[in-house]
Amino acid sequence: MAKRIRIAALTSAALFSFSIPQVAAWAAGGGGGGGGSMPSDSTPQYDAAAEYRNGIAALEQARWKDAERAFARVLTAVPRDANTNYLMALSKLG
């Protein structure tokens, strides 16, 4: 049991620390390559990386609805991000 908890803690720590900069880069418009079009007015008025951190904090405190709202905002910026989709599922299961 202790090994399973330790592995889960290490996995989640690596997942969280790795994906925050990645989400920040995507939210800033990087990482996609190509396209020189002008940004639209429909861009989100929030920081996706900050919302990601808020979602993680909400998950750690078992505030499931807050986490779900935060990850929904992140998914509007990066809808196919596997880590965010996984964390959204965890918040929905909570």
Side-chain angles (χ1 to χ4, degrees), residues 8-9 13 15 28 31 38 43 46 48-49 52 61 68 80 84-85 92:
L15 175 75
M38 296 296 291
T43 55
Y46 52 83
Y52 189 87
Q61 297 170 3
E68 192 173 336
R80 296 183 64 164
T84 306
N85 279 299
K92 285 183 180 274

Side-chain angles (χ1 to χ4, degrees), residues 8-23 52 56 59 71 81-87 90:
L10 289 174
T11 303
S12 63
L15 175 75
F16 298 149
S17 65
F18 174 74
S19 55
I20 289 174
Q22 186 177 25
V23 170
Y52 189 87
I56 291 171
L59 275 179
F71 292 129
D81 180 47
N83 293 334
T84 306
N85 279 299
Y86 173 76
L87 294 171
L90 285 180

Side-chain angles (χ1 to χ4, degrees), residues 27-40:
S37 63
M38 296 296 291
S40 68

